[in-house]
Amino acid sequence: MPTLPRLPKTLLACAIALFSLTATTHAQSFEAASSNATQDLKNALNELAKTRETIATEKIPLIRSVSALEDEVRKISSELARLRRLRDNSDLGLNRLREQVEAIEAQNEYAAGLLDEFVRTFETRIDYSETPLYRAATEEARLALDDADMSQADRFVKQLDVIGVAIQRLGKLTGGYTFEGKALVPSGEIEDGTFAAFGPTVYFASKQSDLAGITFNKLNAAEAAIAVPDESYTTGIRSLVNNKEGSLPADATLGKALKMEQGNDTIGEHLAKGGSVGGVIIGLGVICLLLGIFKTLEVTSFKTPTPEQVQSVLIHIENNDLANAATQAAAIKGTGGDLLKTGVDHVADKRGTLEEILYEKILAVRPRLERFLPFIALTAAAAPLLGLLGTVTGMIKTFNLITIFGTGDAKSLSAGISEALVTTELGLVVAIPALILHGLISRMARQKLGDMEQIAVGFINGVVGARSKDKDAA
């Protein structure tokens, strides 16, 4: 263990004294600091107590103020909630009113649409002879529809006038009523007379003649047209018009049967709808028909020798009686007799030469039997194409009319559609019989040529057989 150096005793004593002095000084400083801290703590506690007393004194008024403010906030919140409820109720009522207004406007528009439709179609629902009676009311209503400055209420007034007139008309129709007017009679003249509306039918009795009949609407006619169902009803209709009673014709179809009867075209009118293309098809069909009749007569009149006649000629040839054989062949009428006469004249020729001569004779007959048949076949092929051409031209006319007049008026489009359909009909009407006629006549012609070939073969075989018998006899 190391040893400390020894200090002198005087120095050691000095050090001890100095240390004791320093310790005493420090002890006094600590006591003073502790005393100061204690005093400061007491002062702070006294100040804290005073502050708490102040806070406690001021807290109660503040709490009362806060409570009052909270009560005021609650009142204001309640008032705000009430106002919001009132606003919501007002908005809900306003929305309901708006919905009711929109519903009423929709009903108003719907009613306006129904009234507009009724006004526009009223004249089409009544008989054409009644149009002058209600023309004033309907014209005012139509003018109101086109007047943009007129209010809806004023427009309703005009339309309701038409409805009132219609109701009055229905009341009159209950027992029937009469009125004066003009009508288009079947002869094409316009005569004055008396109309009697009874139920769905309007009857007419002329004042200028004995004519009496039923009215109907005729296309492009300025007045109601008159149809006479039967002369036996004339007295009854005139009695109804004059004496309010009489025997009347009843139409269960409400005029549709009469319209159908009036709408039926004659053959000439129906063919006229085909236009120029239809005329070409008809002309082609007439030519084809005449040629078919001619060819039928020509082919059926073409005579061929019977097997008995051929055998009779061959018997004379076997007997070397060529003069009688030629006379027998010449007695046979038609091209068949000429064929046998030629065969007799060349009976001494070789078989090959005789065959060529007779085949040449048959070939000379073929053009005569088959002439005009290609034209009939061409007609059968061209007629549908011409009908298609008429269809295309008719549809072009229809679309041109649609471009000019629109699609509202179907009557203006009927001409082009009629041409389109009638030409197709005419093309098929011509093509189908032409095709059948060509097949029948061609079959008959081939049969005649086959008979000629059979006669030629039989004649050649008979001549060859006769030659063989002569050789055997020799």
Side-chain angles (χ1 to χ4, degrees):
M1 170 182 285
T3 59
L4 294 172
R6 286 188 175 186
L7 296 174
K9 291 181 179 180
T10 303
L11 183 59
L12 179 62
C14 290
I16 293 170
L18 180 61
F19 177 75
S20 298
L21 180 61
T22 303
T24 301
T25 303
H26 282 291
Q28 293 175 351
S29 299
F30 180 75
E31 289 176 359
S34 175
S35 176
N36 292 333
T38 301
Q39 187 63 34
D40 291 339
L41 178 61
K42 289 180 179 180
N43 294 333
L45 290 175
N46 292 331
E47 186 177 358
L48 177 61
K50 292 179 180 180
T51 303
R52 284 179 176 175
E53 290 177 359
T54 304
I55 291 173
T57 303
E58 296 177 353
K59 182 177 181 180
I60 294 174
L62 290 174
I63 290 174
R64 290 175 180 173
S65 298
V66 171
S67 298
L69 291 174
E70 288 178 349
D71 292 338
E72 187 177 356
V73 169
R74 282 193 293 271
K75 291 179 181 179
I76 294 173
S77 299
S78 299
E79 183 67 17
L80 178 61
R82 186 182 68 83
L83 293 175
R84 285 179 175 175
R85 286 194 299 272
L86 291 176
R87 184 198 63 184
D88 294 338
N89 292 333
S90 299
D91 292 341
L92 182 60
L94 182 60
N95 291 332
R96 287 179 178 174
L97 289 175
R98 288 175 179 172
E99 291 176 357
Q100 291 177 0
V101 170
E102 291 177 356
I104 293 173
E105 288 179 351
Q107 293 177 0
N108 192 12
E109 291 178 359
Y110 178 71
L114 292 178
L115 291 174
D116 293 347
E117 183 67 20
F118 181 83
V119 170
R120 294 181 189 277
T121 60
F122 175 70
E123 289 187 349
T124 62
R125 297 178 182 178
I126 63 177
D127 192 85
Y128 193 67
S129 59
E130 298 178 281
T131 303
L133 301 178
Y134 310 106
R135 181 171 296 164
T138 55
E139 284 184 355
E140 290 184 3
R142 281 200 302 268
L143 292 175
L145 294 177
D146 299 332
D147 190 355
D149 298 331
M150 182 175 290
S151 63
Q152 188 64 48
D154 295 336
R155 191 176 292 115
F156 278 164
V157 172
K158 300 295 183 181
Q159 293 170 341
L160 290 175
D161 290 341
V162 178
I163 294 178
V165 169
I167 294 175
Q168 293 177 3
R169 175 180 176 271
L170 290 177
K172 293 180 180 179
L173 284 178
T174 303
Y177 71 101
T178 60
F179 56 94
E180 304 297 325
K182 297 181 178 182
L184 179 65
V185 299
S187 61
E189 298 178 354
I190 296 178
E191 296 184 2
D192 294 326
T194 303
F195 293 93
F198 184 73
T201 308
V202 177
Y203 302 93
F204 175 79
S206 176
K207 295 179 179 179
Q208 301 176 218
S209 63
D210 295 333
L211 178 70
I214 302 175
T215 63
F216 71 96
N217 296 343
K218 188 174 183 179
L219 183 63
N220 298 327
E223 304 292 343
I226 304 301
V228 180
D230 192 83
E231 295 295 339
S232 59
Y233 293 108
T234 302
T235 304
I237 294 174
R238 186 168 292 278
S239 175
L240 172 70
V241 173
N242 298 329
N243 304 323
K244 313 303 180 184
E245 61 180 24
S247 300
L248 301 175
D251 185 5
T253 63
L254 300 179
K256 292 184 175 60
L258 185 60
K259 291 180 180 179
M260 292 176 62
E261 182 65 23
Q262 296 293 332
N264 291 334
D265 298 330
T266 62
I267 296 177
E269 293 174 346
H270 184 71
L271 296 178
K273 291 181 178 179
S276 58
V277 178
V280 173
I281 296 175
I282 294 173
L284 192 62
V286 171
I287 296 174
C288 179
L289 177 63
L290 294 177
L291 290 178
I293 296 173
F294 171 75
K295 286 300 299 180
T296 302
L297 295 176
E298 184 181 38
V299 174
T300 53
S301 63
F302 186 88
K303 301 297 183 181
T304 56
T306 61
E308 291 78 10
Q309 291 175 333
V310 176
Q311 188 63 31
S312 175
V313 174
L314 289 175
I315 291 174
H316 289 295
I317 293 175
E318 289 178 359
N319 297 328
N320 292 323
D321 191 359
L322 297 180
N324 288 329
T327 301
Q328 186 73 27
I332 300 173
K333 297 180 179 180
T335 307
D338 294 339
L339 180 67
L340 293 178
K341 181 67 170 56
T342 302
V344 173
D345 293 339
H346 298 82
V347 70
D349 296 342
K350 295 181 179 180
R351 178 182 180 123
T353 303
L354 183 60
E355 288 179 355
E356 292 295 334
I357 292 172
L358 296 181
Y359 185 68
E360 181 181 357
K361 219 34 191 174
I362 294 173
L363 290 179
V365 174
R366 183 185 295 272
R368 177 185 171 187
L369 289 175
E370 295 181 350
R371 63 177 177 175
F372 303 127
L373 289 180
F375 181 82
I376 298 176
L378 181 64
T379 301
L385 296 178
L386 288 173
L388 179 60
L389 175 62
T391 301
V392 173
T393 55
M395 294 308 297
I396 291 174
K397 291 181 180 179
T398 301
F399 287 124
N400 288 335
L401 292 175
I402 290 175
T403 303
I404 298 172
F405 301 104
T407 58
D409 187 7
K411 293 181 180 179
S412 62
L413 308 179
S414 60
I417 297 175
S418 297
E419 181 176 350
L421 298 179
V422 170
T423 52
T424 304
E425 177 190 16
L426 292 176
L428 295 176
V429 167
V430 171
I432 294 173
L435 184 62
I436 296 174
L437 191 62
H438 177 267
L440 292 176
I441 297 176
S442 298
R443 178 70 178 177
M444 294 169 60
R446 287 195 299 270
Q447 184 178 0
K448 294 296 183 180
L449 291 173
D451 293 341
M452 292 287 290
E453 292 176 356
Q454 185 177 2
I455 291 170
V457 172
F459 180 80
I460 292 171
N461 291 335
V463 170
V464 172
R467 291 176 181 178
S468 299
K469 289 180 180 180
D470 292 340
K471 290 181 180 179
D472 293 339

